[in-house]
Amino acid sequence: LSGGLDSSALAVAVRELGYQPLKTFCIGFAGAGLYDESAHARRVAEFVGSDHHEQHLTSDSIELLPQVLQHLDEPMADASVLPNLVVSQLAARHVKVVLSGAGGDEVLGGYRRYAADRAARRAQWLLPRPLREKVLLPLVRSLPAHGASVLGNWTRLAEKFVGGLGSSPERRYVQWNSFFGESDKLKLLKRIFFSSEPSHRLLLPFFGQASARPFEERAMFADVKTYLPADVLTLSDRMTMACSLEARVPFVDLPFMDFAAGLPLSAKIRGWQTKTGFRKALSGRLPAGVLNRPKQGFGTPIDLWLRRELSSVAQDLLSKEAVAARGLFRPDFVQGLLRRHQEGRQDLSQHLWSLMLVELWHRAYIDHDYSARANLTFKVLQS
């Protein structure tokens, strides 16, 4: 239970069906601003009368990362893998099966990026390219960008939004959801590893399969075919099964997905409001504060951690010597990412995190075979 719309709706539904006692589980991040949703979760738990269990994560949870890699079997760069594992461990101490709100955003139109496409089309027409690239983008990048405060979060989103203007809708959508753009890949990757195939082309077949629908629904369809199974559901499944816990995801129940796919776009997105019909259906069944809360993902404050407690971990894994020895990336470009993030000039935490995961994965699976080693630690990988 995050206190967001999807998990709160499931909690209300279970209560209305009469299942008692209802147990709910939440992960929080003390002192991490907007990342900490635990107060919202407690409010919903009180509303539904659940037996609520809460645990707070700190930067020390990074010590779980080598074990996480063993459960994932691949260098997956979604930082929410850590709270996914810890909330699964928490729940497994009390129950054997849990319900998850995963899939609600892709099926019901919950991501702000769906609504942002219309605004991008207008902005491209109203704002000339020189104004966007020479004035707006530098201005946005001069502001503090991170996910812990309202200003920092909006700055981070604004940089992505403005940076994607001028591209085709499909390319812009992929760019909004990528850590490294095509120009950055040229600077990052050693030439031998660089593909001339732009990333957005990998998603074009899915956009094409839904070509008769409005672009927002084409984007949802692409997410259902790619991001949902390859990221959201993969993380949920592997982290719960690592704890011998079964997770059920009602929003991706096939009859429900078919029903949602048949809804008109106005029942999903209206202006900047997401999940329009879903919010209306839950009116009076959830507190107004839950219904009207802005979308917030199951985020992890790695942008804060990598500037503070985990700065030395990033410096070690991505040192000039380590990057040069690995031979995949250009050391000077990686050092530039580290420097700009540490100085607070940009939020490059997702970029750094993905590179750190690649390095750790190589140490665990390529340099050695620690796939079956119990309680794998950073100390072992650094030896």
Side-chain angles (χ1 to χ4, degrees):
L1 178 64
S2 67
L5 196 58
D6 296 332
S7 62
S8 300
L10 290 183
V12 166
V14 172
R15 185 194 66 175
E16 290 176 349
L17 289 169
Y19 289 99
Q20 294 293 338
L22 172 61
K23 296 181 184 291
T24 51
F25 306 93
C26 169
I27 292 297
F29 301 96
L34 292 182
Y35 286 108
D36 186 15
E37 296 185 275
S38 57
H40 301 292
R42 283 195 301 272
R43 183 181 179 188
V44 176
E46 292 171 4
F47 181 76
V48 299
S50 68
D51 176 15
H52 190 59
H53 301 266
E54 183 179 305
Q55 185 170 332
H56 281 77
L57 260 67
T58 66
S59 58
D60 292 342
S61 62
I62 192 75
E63 292 296 335
L64 294 169
L65 203 50
Q67 296 172 48
V68 165
L69 279 172
Q70 289 180 308
H71 298 308
L72 286 175
D73 291 327
E74 56 185 315
M76 200 173 206
D78 190 329
S80 68
V81 66
L82 288 174
N84 266 282
L85 177 63
V86 176
V87 77
S88 297
Q89 292 173 335
L90 174 63
R93 295 198 288 269
H94 301 271
V95 297
K96 297 303 294 182
V97 182
V98 292
L99 297 179
S100 163
D105 290 314
E106 294 81 1
V107 173
L108 295 168
Y111 292 124
R112 283 175 294 200
R113 58 182 182 252
Y114 301 142
D117 178 72
R118 291 184 186 180
R121 279 177 270 168
R122 295 190 187 100
Q124 284 184 164
W125 182 72
L126 291 171
L127 303 172
R129 183 172 180 175
L131 177 62
R132 297 195 306 259
E133 295 181 356
K134 302 296 185 183
V135 179
L136 282 180
L137 208 50
L139 175 62
V140 170
R141 285 176 175 166
S142 69
L143 300 172
H146 52 78
S149 71
V150 173
L151 175 61
N153 191 44
W154 276 108
T155 301
R156 181 172 58 85
L157 295 173
E159 181 181 352
K160 276 187 170 289
F161 180 81
V162 176
L165 298 179
S167 301
S168 67
E170 293 83 3
R171 186 165 191 163
R172 177 173 62 235
Y173 188 76
V174 175
Q175 186 174 336
W176 283 346
N177 296 291
S178 301
F179 301 151
F180 292 99
E182 298 304 319
S183 61
D184 282 338
K185 290 177 189 175
L186 279 170
K187 301 171 188 174
L188 170 71
L189 294 165
K190 293 288 186 70
R191 177 64 61 178
I192 190 174
F193 299 109
F194 186 76
S195 170
S196 59
E197 184 78 2
S199 296
H200 75 277
R201 290 188 183 174
L202 298 173
L203 271 73
L204 287 181
F206 302 109
F207 283 106
Q209 288 177 41
S211 59
R213 309 302 290 267
F215 181 79
E216 296 90 335
E217 292 187 327
R218 292 164 62 197
M220 291 179 215
F221 181 80
D223 279 345
V224 164
K225 290 292 189 178
T226 57
Y227 177 64
L228 180 61
D231 187 310
V232 178
L233 296 181
T234 294
L235 281 185
S236 175
D237 181 60
R238 295 186 186 179
M239 293 303 99
T240 52
M241 292 309 295
C243 305
S244 299
L245 185 71
E246 292 281 347
R248 296 290 177 260
V249 279
F251 286 106
V252 294
D253 178 66
L254 289 178
F256 183 79
M257 291 183 76
D258 286 342
F259 164 76
L263 294 173
L265 181 60
S266 60
K268 299 170 185 175
I269 301 167
R270 186 170 296 165
W272 279 103
Q273 188 185 60
T274 58
K275 292 182 178 168
T276 310
F278 193 46
R279 294 177 196 274
K280 186 175 180 180
L282 292 167
S283 180
R285 297 165 65 193
L286 277 173
V290 177
L291 280 175
N292 300 321
R293 269 192 69 203
K295 167 66 185 170
Q296 186 172 342
F298 195 16
T300 308
I302 55 169
D303 55 339
L304 304 180
W305 293 350
L306 289 178
R307 286 193 181 105
R308 301 187 311 215
E309 305 96 313
L310 300 184
S311 173
S312 60
V313 175
Q315 294 287 349
D316 172 60
L317 292 175
L318 300 179
S319 69
K320 204 165 189 176
E321 296 74 21
V323 174
R326 184 62 59 203
L328 300 174
F329 311 123
R330 300 180 188 275
D332 289 341
F333 184 72
V334 175
Q335 289 302 300
L337 296 176
L338 278 167
R339 184 171 56 254
R340 295 205 304 277
H341 185 78
Q342 291 295 330
E343 293 172 353
R345 290 159 57 189
Q346 280 181 274
D347 177 7
L348 297 170
S349 55
Q350 300 284 3
H351 303 66
L352 297 172
W353 183 262
S354 61
L355 299 181
M356 290 166 62
L357 265 288
V358 170
E359 175 61 24
L360 278 174
W361 183 83
H362 272 81
R363 294 185 186 188
Y365 284 93
I366 305 301
D367 299 344
H368 307 278
D369 181 8
Y370 291 137
S371 56
R373 178 161 182 158
N375 300 318
L376 185 63
T377 64
F378 268 99
K379 187 175 182 180
V380 170
L381 296 181
Q382 289 169 335
S383 62

